[in-house]
Amino acid sequence: MAWIIFLKVVMKSPYDFMALNTFLGYIPIEISFHLPKIADRRSLLFWLASLLWLLFYPNAPYVLTDLFHLSWLHPHTNVSGILRSAPSMWLIFAIMIISAFCCVLIGSLELLNTSSLIAKVISPRHPQLRYLLMVIFTFCSSIGIYIGRFLRLHSIYMLITPSWFWRQILSAISWNAFLFVMIMTVLQLIICWFVHLLLVLRN
């Protein structure tokens, strides 16, 4: 929360969106922290909280796509490709990298934990189910990233205007949309694998 407040104070237009996007990326992380406390197949609260986590989870990897807005800084001195050394530019770069990495790395860690938790609740004898759930969750997340980045729709619209929300989704189906979703799915799975490797090496 301190980092989000810092973003709100420091990041000025056109980068003032970083505080909100980082906060939205933090919401599923916070929800995932509490899921183990209510994990029970018979608990309606657990399934509602899990659904809420899934609806908001795309906001965590979504912050990675905000890095494209660094182009607004016009980082090159000329057509030769040499980068400018302006400290203000590199400060914004560092701040956005920190936000993106925190959201995606912690989000991926909680994706691993949540997939394992839900798999355990559904079928304790089949822990391998978590791998299938990870693929499903990352695929759904990639669809969410596409919706947020290109259709400019937030997760909350699914709750308050569901019929309009789904009409927007159906109208956006295309080959490019499918390829984007597949690329982002693979990217998220690779990041999850990397986080998993770090956990294995630590242990």
Side-chain angles (χ1 to χ4, degrees), residues 178-191:
F178 173 75
L179 291 178
F180 175 89
V181 168
M182 295 308 298
I183 290 170
M184 294 303 297
T185 299
V186 172
L187 174 62
Q188 290 182 78
L189 288 173
I190 290 174
I191 294 174

Side-chain angles (χ1 to χ4, degrees), residues 6 34 38 47 56 60 65 67 71 149-150 164 167 174 190:
F6 171 80
H34 300 282
I38 56 175
W47 294 114
F56 279 93
T65 66
L67 296 178
S71 62
R149 176 52 66 193
F150 300 106
W164 176 82
R167 284 199 301 271
S174 67
I190 290 174

Side-chain angles (χ1 to χ4, degrees), residues 40-51 118 121-122:
D40 189 329
R41 179 187 294 184
R42 298 165 297 180
S43 172
L44 178 61
L45 178 60
F46 172 73
W47 294 114
L48 289 177
S50 298
L51 178 60
I118 294 177
V121 170
I122 294 175

Side-chain angles (χ1 to χ4, degrees), residues 17 61 92 114 125 136 161 163 186 189:
F17 62 85
I92 293 175
T114 302
R125 297 183 180 180
I136 293 173
T161 56
S163 59
V186 172
L189 288 173

